Amino acid sequence: MSRLFRIFSLLFLLCLYFYTEAQYFEIDGIAYNVLSTTEHTVEVASKSCNFYQGNINIPATVTYDGTTYDVVALGERAFYGGTLSSVTIPSSVTHIKRLCFLFATGPTSVIIPASVTNIDPLAFAAYNMTAIYVA
């Protein structure tokens, strides 16, 4: 089996995993994973087989299938490889998970609201950033 075939197979399986995840949905170009159905919370997730591009304005709440969820986290690898012009993080977000901005390019600064109380190690790994502003 060729090495290239194995790489494409792995990428396909990863994309399939993200696409078929039971608690995954997308609204207005932003993907979400449900964290709690009882507390109605979600995290921003990586898009299935696509990268985020341009201006990303994350809302504080989203409504899906009749349920309103609070957006409380930026998930692992959420913006992986994205070409970002800007990312607006709402005050509902309390957690930025590891590798969230892995290999993303785009804005050289991010404003983190005071509501964020937990930033995992390597959250901004390999991110071309010159400044982080924390409220």
Side-chain angles (χ1 to χ4, degrees), residues 29-83:
I30 299 176
Y32 301 93
N33 280 326
V34 175
L35 297 174
S36 171
T37 55
T38 56
E39 295 178 12
H40 305 291
T41 57
V42 294
E43 68 181 2
V44 174
S46 61
K47 294 173 76 171
S48 50
C49 301
N50 290 315
F51 298 123
Y52 287 100
Q53 296 182 359
N55 298 315
I56 308 300
N57 187 14
I58 302 166
T61 62
V62 292
T63 301
Y64 177 73
D65 205 20
T67 302
T68 299
Y69 296 93
D70 293 323
V71 179
V72 299
L74 304 182
E76 281 191 26
R77 295 179 179 88
F79 298 106
Y80 174 86
T83 305

Side-chain angles (χ1 to χ4, degrees), residues 10-135:
L10 178 61
L11 287 173
F12 174 76
L13 291 174
L14 284 172
C15 290
L16 185 63
Y17 165 77
F18 285 115
Y19 183 74
T20 60
E21 196 169 329
Q23 301 287 327
Y24 175 91
F25 61 90
E26 212 173 299
I27 296 176
D28 295 331
I30 299 176
Y32 301 93
N33 280 326
V34 175
L35 297 174
S36 171
T37 55
T38 56
E39 295 178 12
H40 305 291
T41 57
V42 294
E43 68 181 2
V44 174
S46 61
K47 294 173 76 171
S48 50
C49 301
N50 290 315
F51 298 123
Y52 287 100
Q53 296 182 359
N55 298 315
I56 308 300
N57 187 14
I58 302 166
T61 62
V62 292
T63 301
Y64 177 73
D65 205 20
T67 302
T68 299
Y69 296 93
D70 293 323
V71 179
V72 299
L74 304 182
E76 281 191 26
R77 295 179 179 88
F79 298 106
Y80 174 86
T83 305
L84 310 170
S85 298
S86 68
V87 177
T88 303
I89 303 171
S91 61
S92 61
V93 170
T94 60
H95 190 180
I96 299 175
K97 295 187 177 179
R98 69 185 200 94
L99 306 175
C100 181
F101 289 90
L102 182 65
F103 298 121
T105 60
T108 56
S109 64
V110 172
I111 299 172
I112 300 174
S115 61
V116 175
T117 56
N118 189 5
I119 300 175
D120 289 351
L122 302 175
F124 297 96
Y127 183 55
N128 187 21
M129 183 181 308
T130 58
I132 298 176
Y133 301 99
V134 181

